[in-house]
Amino acid sequence: MKISLSLSAMLLATTALFAPQTALAQTEGSETEVEELVVRGRYIPDVMRETAEVATILTADDLQRQGDDTAAEALTRLSGLSVVGGRFVYVRGLGERYSSALLNGSPLPSPEPLQRVVPLDLFPSNVLAGTTVQKTYSAAYSGEFGGGVIDLQTVAVPYEPFVSLGFSVGGNTETTFDDGLVYYGSDTDWTGYDDGTRDTPDELDLALRSGLRVDSSNFTDEELQDIGQSFVNAPLNLLQRSSSIDPNYSIDVSAGTSVDLGWGSLGVVAVAGFDNSWRTRHGVQQEGIVQGSDLEVRTDYDYVSTQNDVVLNGLLGVGLDWGQNEIRWTNLYVHSTTKEARSRAGYDELAGADVRDDYTEWFERALINTQLTGAHEFGDLQVDWRTAFARTSRDAPYEKGIRYRLVNGVYLHNASQEQNYTRFSEVEDSVLSAGLDLSYTLPLSSVREVILSGGVAYMDNDRHAEAREFRFLALNNSLSLAEQMQRVDFLLSDYNIRPDGLVIRETTGAEGAAAYEAALETKAAYIQADAEIFPLVRLAAGVRYEDATQSVTPIDLFGASSPAVPDALENAYWLPTATVTWNFYEDMQLRFGASKTIARPQFRELAPQQYLDPDNDRLFIGNPYLTDSELLNIDARYEWYFANQQYLTLGAFYKDIDKPIESVVNEAGATVQQTYINAPKAMLYGVEAEVKKVFEPVVDTPWLANKRWLIQANYTYSKSEVQVDSGDVVFPLAGGGASRPAEDYVTDGSQLQGQSEHLANLQFGFEDDVAQSQATLLVAYASERITARGRPGQPDLYQDPGTIVDFTYRKMVPVMGYDLTFSFEARNLLAEDYEEYQELGSGRVNNNTYDLGRSFSVGVSTRF
């Protein structure tokens, strides 16, 4: 009988190599007596026995206990992980570009203009069966590996038929039944889908198809009037104050069944969910200037924003099993829409006046993923294959902004000195991928074996992004004072859009600043071996060859010029990796790993196209002169599995990064933009610890009876430094490809962006099988981290996430023959605020601060 190394070689290595007579004693007729048989690794979980790498696991039970709505929220509970902006996961303090996200092993595209990495808030927890975060590199994964790889696993085909229904309702102390800003939009906005109100008007669409800029040099006064009047006005321009914002609610439905075919089994699972939530922010946005040794506030806004998020998701999975074969077909659809109304008012130093800015926005994101996978066993040969196609999109029609100037106590808009804009933008991103993995188990002895594996992988990622911008201008200051005082829906009405009033003009950037095509094609092959080279010592070593071509091609929408196209990044790498695992004592093991990996620039970081981040009102622009980053990774971890699913781990890590990509400020006249450069070097090092313990109460009381208590905690300390030596150079956007002294852009010893020195999580709660109840207190802490670089001569911008305390409770109650599970969730019990700021000397500037409020929800679900 052959024994899989990953399941048993480490368990039996002692008897095989230190006590060969034990093996003989198991042979028929042997007269040797066995006095004692020592088995090591008996409590090491299957997933830890199956992987030779340092990994952290999020199970389906974890997802239920934590009650998190999305994958991004759930991953904040794992050691060394933090979530920035509620969407992007940072592993060990490294930005999202240093981590890759997979869905059942296949890569995913991103709908985000600023990132190639998919935002994990896009994945509702109801479609997930668990998540694996691997922190040390193995050759079977893509070479784009810095902090780790996050593999999301969707729910699998069931063995028994079931139907599950769930409903929840909740609110936030800063939002629900309180004042907020809204705008009408369309009749179907509550579904997350527009009813056609935001479609591009026919007149505008015809003008865009001409390939000409929409202005007076290409169109007649009558044509410009028709185009301007075709824009939807009042439903999308008019901000309204609501005295009571609606509560949040969600609905989940899932079902599955399996059929015995005689020669195999066929299973089907379907999941659907709908979530509608609101968030109001009352906050402050400031900008400062350095005066002497202090930072002083010069621009100061108070703002209010109300955001409505609507998510619809669906999953359909089909599985076929026969013999030692299985095939899975998984289809996932996620549609996520953000509708926001926002207004800010205050003193603006650049304008030299008190102003008010009003915004209405609609961001519609969609993900469609279809994946076919297979696993087959032919004796000692295991064959796994996968192929997938995924497409994401982000559509932002009628993104509107208008500025008013305060004059004698009245806000005026003259459409010349005060600007307005209407933007239409879209991003489409697709990934076609395929992979084949082969593994062969080769016996070395009766109890030892080596697993030889290898495979190939292919990925083709394509992106198209385009943004058009239009303004209504008053030529020769032709608006009367009465018109300047009009409400926005009257101001931008058909009556005022005329040749001697408001005239539409396209202000879309030229020379590739408004559109681009991007592509990344990777071809890879790898080999690796996994074997017990010495008693209780396991070595997994391999090498990956990865060849990639990445390009970003700016497109001039008007054909007036041929934008400068940067050379494609064509690189090939040999990426070695090795991990040694030593099961030195019963239920304890040590892991040591070293590897070389890479990080490529994201498409948006390469594209010279401006983009306004709606979360912080900052402009970003890419730099086509970026190159790949290369990383050296070293890891060590001690693991003690003292009981089933209970453990203590202690780890240390070090990363050396050559040419890390950092965000810096690019000042173009009075406009301040965030752009990107390759800093010379950086290093990151740290330690992490995690413990999980289940225990029975020591006091025998009726209330404590039958309860199992859980305590799970983790802590990560990490330190990073960007390193700049005299003579180092960078290639900024402003240099046009020419080198500049690195010291002018990067401060030696500065912290990597997004990296918190301290991360900590605590879960404490109980499960009661008799009362069928479960309660958990969750605490998450992250120390301050850099969110953006300051202007030259100014300090960096920091965010202090602080301590977030949540509580979840679930109890099953039989009602009319059905088992109903009632749930209660309370979030941010300490009322932690969002704070992004700059500090210098005795001065502080609150770049973006607002109250998060406390959130509460109740729900009920059943399964039958």
Side-chain angles (χ1 to χ4, degrees):
M1 180 180 69
K2 299 185 185 301
I3 305 173
S4 170
L5 170 69
S6 59
L7 294 175
S8 59
M10 293 181 64
L11 305 181
L12 300 179
T14 311
T15 55
L17 298 169
F18 285 119
Q21 68 275 15
T22 303
L24 294 174
Q26 300 177 55
T27 306
E28 184 178 356
S30 171
E31 298 179 358
T32 306
E33 292 186 6
V34 179
E35 296 182 357
E36 182 180 7
L37 177 63
V38 178
V39 178
R40 298 194 177 172
R42 59 182 174 181
Y43 291 132
I44 297 176
D46 288 346
V47 68
M48 302 309 298
R49 285 188 277 182
E50 291 169 1
T51 177
E53 312 303 331
V54 173
T56 303
I57 310 300
L58 189 69
T59 67
D61 290 339
D62 295 329
L63 291 170
Q64 182 184 39
R65 181 173 61 252
Q66 295 165 190
D68 297 309
D69 294 329
T70 69
E73 292 176 354
L75 287 169
T76 62
R77 316 298 180 184
L78 300 183
S79 62
L81 273 66
S82 61
V83 173
V84 175
R87 309 166 73 188
F88 297 99
V89 174
Y90 283 35
V91 182
R92 290 174 168 173
L94 290 171
E96 76 280 353
R97 72 168 56 82
Y98 295 105
S99 302
S100 57
L102 306 175
L103 186 66
N104 299 325
S106 295
L108 290 163
S110 173
E112 294 304 306
L114 279 176
Q115 283 87 8
R116 195 177 74 244
V117 180
V118 64
L120 295 183
D121 68 324
L122 204 57
F123 296 91
S125 57
N126 68 318
V127 302
L128 300 177
T131 301
T132 299
V133 180
Q134 186 168 305
K135 299 177 182 178
T136 56
Y137 180 62
S138 59
Y141 283 121
S142 166
E144 284 198 83
F145 186 104
V149 61
I150 301 166
D151 194 356
L152 307 172
Q153 291 98 38
T154 56
V155 292
V157 173
Y159 293 105
E160 296 180 355
F162 78 93
V163 175
S164 177
L165 304 173
F167 174 78
S168 70
V169 61
N172 178 271
T173 56
E174 293 291 321
T175 304
T176 311
F177 305 130
D178 207 340
D179 292 345
L181 282 182
V182 297
Y183 72 96
Y184 182 76
S186 77
D187 291 338
T188 57
D189 281 3
W190 67 273
T191 68
Y193 295 86
D194 177 75
D195 67 358
T197 299
R198 296 178 177 86
D199 289 350
T200 304
D202 292 340
E203 293 84 351
L204 176 61
D205 185 58
L206 184 63
L208 297 179
R209 292 177 183 275
S210 71
L212 301 174
R213 182 183 293 276
V214 180
D215 59 21
S216 57
S217 63
N218 297 309
F219 294 86
T220 66
D221 289 346
E222 291 75 14
E223 290 172 328
L224 291 177
Q225 178 174 313
D226 290 342
I227 294 171
Q229 292 179 353
S230 72
F231 277 42
V232 177
N233 180 19
L236 304 182
N237 282 315
L238 183 62
L239 289 180
Q240 298 173 293
R241 185 170 294 278
S242 172
S243 61
S244 180
I245 297 298
D246 293 339
N248 308 327
Y249 66 93
S250 66
I251 304 171
D252 295 296
V253 181
S254 59
T257 188
S258 61
V259 179
D260 187 355
L261 302 176
W263 53 271
S265 62
L266 176 68
V268 179
V269 63
V271 178
F274 179 82
D275 183 275
N276 191 311
S277 62
W278 295 82
R279 182 181 70 170
T280 296
R281 295 175 290 175
H282 297 271
V284 173
Q285 289 180 340
Q286 297 176 337
E287 294 180 8
I289 189 171
V290 175
Q291 293 286 4
S293 59
D294 293 330
L295 188 66
E296 293 184 358
V297 175
R298 288 299 179 92
T299 294
D300 191 0
Y301 289 102
D302 291 319
Y303 76 92
V304 59
S305 162
T306 299
Q307 181 174 306
N308 183 205
D309 293 300
V310 183
V311 179
L312 175 67
N313 68 83
L315 180 142
L316 175 64
V318 180
L320 180 63
D321 296 333
W322 75 99
Q324 300 299 312
N325 305 275
E326 68 175 31
I327 294 177
R328 296 282 185 269
W329 183 33
T330 304
N331 301 275
L332 176 66
Y333 172 74
V334 181
H335 185 273
S336 173
T337 298
T338 296
K339 177 183 179 182
E340 183 176 11
R342 185 168 82 257
S343 181
R344 65 179 189 176
Y347 181 78
D348 186 285
E349 184 185 29
L350 184 60
D354 287 303
V355 299
R356 190 184 87 219
D357 296 321
D358 292 345
Y359 306 90
T360 60
E361 295 161 336
W362 173 271
F363 303 108
E364 192 171 348
R365 299 182 295 166
L367 165 67
I368 300 174
N369 183 86
T370 183
Q371 180 188 55
L372 193 64
T373 63
H376 313 273
E377 290 186 21
F378 304 98
D380 294 325
L381 178 64
Q382 173 80 29
V383 179
D384 297 301
W385 55 270
R386 63 192 178 278
T387 182
F389 175 78
R391 185 179 71 85
T392 60
S393 62
R394 178 186 183 273
D395 191 19
Y398 281 105
E399 188 179 348
K400 285 180 167 287
I402 184 169
R403 166 164 285 192
Y404 303 88
R405 183 184 297 260
L406 186 63
V407 180
N408 297 324
V410 179
Y411 282 109
L412 305 177
H413 179 82
N414 66 17
S416 177
Q417 189 176 12
E418 290 78 50
Q419 296 181 343
N420 61 75
Y421 66 79
T422 301
R423 298 185 182 125
F424 298 81
S425 63
E426 61 180 8
V427 176
E428 291 189 359
D429 202 302
S430 63
V431 170
L432 175 66
S433 63
L436 174 67
D437 301 292
L438 306 174
S439 64
Y440 183 77
T441 303
L442 180 65
L444 300 179
S445 68
S446 59
V447 292
R448 296 178 62 210
E449 59 197 19
V450 59
I451 300 178
L452 303 174
S453 58
V456 294
Y458 174 80
M459 183 188 75
D460 186 11
N461 184 190
D462 293 298
R463 168 177 283 208
H464 172 80
E466 183 176 321
R468 309 296 288 256
E469 182 180 89
F470 305 89
R471 291 180 181 170
F472 288 98
L473 298 174
L475 303 180
N476 301 318
N477 294 320
S478 57
L479 287 183
S480 67
L481 181 61
E483 289 170 327
Q484 294 179 44
M485 296 174 62
Q486 287 179 344
R487 204 174 69 183
V488 63
D489 53 330
F490 293 123
L491 175 67
L492 299 181
S493 65
D494 289 356
Y495 176 80
N496 287 331
I497 300 174
R498 59 185 192 273
D500 62 340
L502 293 175
V503 178
I504 192 170
R505 175 183 295 175
E506 183 169 7
T507 53
T508 301
E511 299 181 352
Y516 68 90
E517 301 276 358
L520 171 63
E521 183 182 38
T522 63
K523 303 172 185 176
Y526 75 93
I527 57 171
Q528 64 182 15
D530 187 350
E532 188 175 9
I533 54 174
F534 300 114
L536 305 175
V537 177
R538 175 183 180 186
L539 171 65
V543 63
R544 183 182 186 90
Y545 175 78
E546 191 161 295
D547 180 274
T549 301
Q550 183 176 8
S551 63
V552 172
T553 305
I555 300 172
D556 191 335
L557 297 172
F558 312 110
S561 64
S562 298
V565 179
D567 294 335
L569 294 175
E570 298 183 7
N571 293 308
Y573 298 96
W574 289 96
L575 304 174
T577 177
T579 301
V580 177
T581 303
W582 178 25
N583 188 196
F584 67 96
Y585 192 74
E586 182 174 314
D587 310 324
M588 298 184 187
Q589 59 188 23
L590 285 173
R591 298 184 190 270
F592 302 92
S595 62
K596 177 184 175 183
T597 57
I598 58 173
R600 298 185 178 94
Q602 300 183 32
F603 290 146
R604 191 59 188 82
E605 294 169 344
L606 289 166
Q609 181 190 59
Q610 279 194 1
Y611 168 74
L612 179 68
D613 189 333
D615 291 333
N616 49 38
D617 293 323
R618 295 194 192 104
L619 280 173
F620 288 80
I621 190 168
N623 177 7
Y625 308 108
L626 298 178
T627 61
D628 296 348
S629 305
E630 298 186 38
L631 296 89
L632 172 66
N633 313 285
I634 299 175
D635 287 86
R637 189 162 82 162
Y638 161 78
E639 301 170 357
W640 177 23
Y641 299 92
F642 46 82
N644 186 31
Q645 297 299 317
Q646 301 179 56
Y647 52 82
L648 168 68
T649 67
L650 300 171
F653 53 89
Y654 172 83
K655 297 180 184 293
D656 184 86
I657 310 174
D658 183 49
K659 297 181 180 178
I661 297 174
E662 286 280 283
S663 174
V664 297
V665 171
N666 177 63
E667 295 199 74
T671 303
V672 178
Q673 306 165 326
Q674 292 281 328
T675 186
Y676 308 91
I677 61 167
N678 286 105
K681 286 185 177 295
M683 70 171 181
L684 173 75
Y685 59 89
V687 295
E688 56 188 12
E690 184 168 15
V691 63
K692 180 179 180 181
K693 172 65 178 175
V694 178
F695 56 91
E696 303 292 336
V698 296
V699 180
D700 187 12
T701 65
W703 185 80
L704 293 175
N706 306 310
K707 287 182 171 59
R708 291 191 310 276
W709 293 83
L710 164 71
I711 183 168
Q712 185 170 355
N714 60 69
Y715 168 74
T716 301
Y717 169 80
S718 58
K719 181 73 173 178
S720 65
E721 290 184 7
V722 179
Q723 300 172 328
V724 182
D725 295 329
S726 177
D728 286 337
V729 298
V730 296
F731 297 87
L733 175 66
S739 64
R740 298 283 182 86
E743 293 174 325
D744 292 349
Y745 293 84
V746 184
T747 301
D748 182 51
S750 60
Q751 185 177 327
L752 282 170
Q753 289 171 240
Q755 183 252 334
S756 294
E757 285 194 2
H758 305 279
L759 296 172
N761 292 281
L762 170 67
Q763 295 186 39
F764 179 72
F766 68 81
E767 295 181 358
D768 189 327
D769 292 337
V770 176
Q772 296 186 314
S773 61
Q774 180 187 80
T776 308
L777 182 71
L778 304 108
V779 183
Y781 170 76
S783 62
E784 64 179 14
R785 57 196 176 203
I786 296 175
T787 57
R789 297 299 183 190
R791 301 185 189 186
Q794 289 194 6
D796 293 332
L797 281 68
Y798 280 85
Q799 182 209 350
D800 187 2
T803 302
I804 304 296
V805 178
D806 301 333
F807 175 76
T808 66
Y809 178 78
R810 283 170 172 73
K811 182 174 177 59
M812 184 179 293
V813 179
V815 178
M816 300 179 63
Y818 294 98
D819 289 331
L820 300 184
T821 299
F822 293 89
S823 63
F824 170 75
E825 297 178 6
R827 305 288 181 179
N828 193 26
L829 291 174
L830 299 182
E832 191 76 60
D833 298 333
Y834 181 92
E835 297 182 356
E836 186 183 40
Y837 57 88
Q838 293 172 286
E839 289 183 331
L840 183 65
S842 61
R844 172 176 168 128
V845 170
N846 293 312
N847 305 97
N848 188 17
T849 63
Y850 56 88
D851 294 335
L852 291 171
R854 298 178 178 91
S855 298
F856 302 92
S857 68
V858 294
V860 61
S861 63
T862 185
R863 183 184 177 101
F864 52 89

